[in-house]
Amino acid sequence: MIHKTIAELAESLPPNARVLGLDVGSKTIGLAVSDSDFNVATAIDTIRRTKFTKDFELLREIIEGRDIAGLIIGLPVSMDGTEGPACQSPRVWTNRVLAACVAG
């Protein structure tokens, strides 16, 4: 399920859950894990993008290994808050992740 706000996401998660933040770029995916209060996120790794299936498998291993309850995927919005063309790629990637999660 996609939530528009952190508050909506937090309400849908079990107590003390942690989330994984993703900065999806064209060559890498930056990863950071939150604390259970969503106050601080700590960088943990970078995935060098290759093929989607391989990248998704690495991501799934991290999610399972760290008992992650949700994902926060960043969008590169403009300074005025509007979405430009750079938002298209992370949105497409996110839709592929959602489809892969539903399928498997």
Side-chain angles (χ1 to χ4, degrees):
M1 172 172 284
I2 296 176
H3 299 284
K4 298 275 184 184
T5 68
I6 298 293
E8 287 177 10
L9 173 63
E11 287 177 17
S12 72
L13 298 175
N16 300 316
R18 298 183 331 150
V19 296
L20 181 65
L22 300 140
D23 180 9
V24 181
S26 61
K27 296 182 182 187
T28 61
I29 302 168
L31 308 172
V33 174
S34 75
D35 64 358
S36 60
D37 294 323
F38 306 123
N39 290 323
V40 177
T42 303
I44 60 163
D45 206 348
T46 301
I47 296 174
R48 297 241 175 255
R49 292 183 68 179
T50 56
K51 293 186 177 190
F52 177 80
T53 52
K54 183 178 177 187
D55 299 344
F56 179 73
E57 184 57 35
L58 287 170
L59 181 61
R60 191 166 69 176
E61 288 174 12
I62 291 167
I63 290 168
E64 290 172 0
R66 292 183 175 264
D67 199 27
I68 300 296
L71 301 177
I72 296 177
I73 301 171
L75 284 176
V77 296
S78 300
M79 292 297 286
D80 64 2
T82 60
E83 291 188 20
C87 289
Q88 181 65 21
S89 178
R91 283 196 181 280
V92 169
W93 187 87
T94 299
N95 288 333
R96 291 187 73 188
V97 167
L98 288 170
C101 289
V102 170

